[in-house]
Amino acid sequence: MNTAALASRAGRLLDGTVTAVRPLTGGDISDAHRIDLADGRTVFAKTLADAPPRFFAAEAAGLALLRGTGTVAVPDVLATGGPDDPGIILLEWLEPAAPDRAQAERLGRDLAALHHTPAARYGTDGPLFLGRVPQTGSAAPGDTPGDWAMFHVEHRLLPLLRQAADLGRVAPADARAVERLCNRIGEIAGPPQPPAVIHGDLWSGNVQWSPDGRPRLIDPAAQGGHPETDLALLDLFGCPHLDALLAAYAETRPVPGRAARVPLHQLQHLLVHAVLFGGPYGRESGAAARAALAAA
């Protein structure tokens, strides 16, 4: 979208006059811009051409879910385009800051509190996306805690594996490794875990370090899920001061045996990356499945 069109669109949604639109770098899926308004407001805008229906509405709902727990900090949602204009979301502008150990420790404590928040079920009733890939399905309320494993296989791992295989982005040997993991997930998943509210896409790029000392979480795929998924994703592409974050988390929410289950909880996102980007992610999906099987 050109800047003039974005300025017009944002001005209409915000009921203001846009004075500047500046493109930003860093997003793999959406285009990002800083928008300045005549009344002094600064806004962060994300747009996506040909966005799926309710694409950014799902992000707004996820931010609202996280905010409603009262545990983690997230940006305010100022506007979305609505059903007829799903390709835009306007958010509170967050000034960037360098990560530091104190913020990492704060985030560890905040995440522990988030993960103590029960969810009604695994998954969500509304739309949910990882990148542009829809994540569907929710478990019935009242399902037993041990059902996370089968929910994860039925609604996350196997659908993603089929998509990656159909696109030719995972080799047969790697696909067979993922299938073996799915068949044995009951042995690998660890202790029963009731559905808890999780961010759902918490790689390090979705942590916004802040000048006020409290990190914000952005771009969620918030849902009822397994807390170890958030922790494993922070480790997937490297998170600054992860050791301090995990130590602070464990002070209030220790998770014995978690390290052995990290590959299991990274597998879903590796498969999403295989679907979206191909490249080495099919091989890495197979490697994660084999590592999870070996740890069992």
Side-chain angles (χ1 to χ4, degrees):
M1 178 187 304
N2 63 51
T3 56
L6 178 55
S8 174
R9 204 169 171 191
R12 173 177 54 82
L13 290 170
L14 297 169
D15 193 23
T17 300
V18 172
T19 57
V21 177
R22 308 174 196 177
L24 303 170
T25 60
D28 291 325
I29 303 298
S30 304
D31 293 324
H33 292 80
R34 170 177 170 150
I35 294 179
D36 297 321
L37 288 93
D39 59 12
R41 287 179 289 171
T42 300
V43 173
F44 179 72
K46 288 200 300 183
T47 61
L48 179 63
D50 301 320
R54 302 186 67 192
F55 182 77
F56 284 123
E59 179 176 341
L63 290 168
L65 175 59
L66 295 178
R67 180 185 296 281
T69 68
T71 60
V72 293
V74 299
D76 290 333
V77 178
L78 305 179
T80 60
D84 298 327
D85 187 14
I88 186 169
I89 187 170
L90 302 172
L91 300 164
E92 171 192 5
W93 176 260
L94 302 175
E95 288 293 334
D100 59 62
R101 291 185 70 83
Q103 287 200 63
E105 291 170 353
R106 175 68 183 268
L107 180 56
R109 292 190 290 271
D110 286 353
L111 286 174
L114 174 68
H115 294 158
H116 274 301
T117 306
R121 64 191 71 191
Y122 305 112
T124 177
D125 291 332
L128 192 70
F129 298 88
L130 287 174
R132 292 186 64 124
V133 181
Q135 308 293 289
T136 60
S138 64
D143 278 0
T144 59
D147 288 339
W148 173 81
M150 294 313 300
F151 169 80
H152 196 59
V153 166
E154 180 180 352
H155 293 288
R156 300 293 184 255
L157 297 184
L158 287 181
L160 289 168
L161 179 61
R162 286 192 289 268
Q163 290 179 65
D166 289 345
L167 292 167
R169 293 177 175 174
V170 58
D174 293 318
R176 288 193 294 272
V178 175
E179 290 168 348
R180 287 197 299 274
L181 170 65
C182 291
N183 290 334
R184 294 182 55 194
I185 196 167
E187 307 167 38
I188 297 166
Q193 170 60 54
V197 178
I198 66 170
H199 178 281
D201 193 13
L202 196 58
W203 70 287
S204 58
N206 285 342
V207 177
Q208 177 73 58
W209 307 96
S210 171
D212 69 8
R214 188 177 191 191
R216 270 62 168 177
L217 303 185
I218 62 174
D219 295 351
Q223 60 188 289
H226 199 303
E228 290 182 38
T229 299
D230 280 348
L231 302 182
L233 293 182
L234 285 169
D235 196 28
L236 184 56
F237 298 113
C239 178
H241 308 295
L242 183 60
D243 60 332
L245 187 160
L246 293 175
Y249 183 99
E251 288 174 3
T252 56
R253 196 176 186 280
V255 188
R258 185 192 71 84
R261 297 185 290 272
V262 167
L264 166 63
H265 288 279
Q266 292 178 340
L267 178 56
Q268 175 189 357
H269 280 65
L270 290 170
L271 287 168
V272 167
H273 278 69
V275 170
L276 288 171
F277 307 118
Y281 291 111
R283 295 192 302 275
E284 292 182 19
S285 297
R290 294 183 189 96
L293 287 162

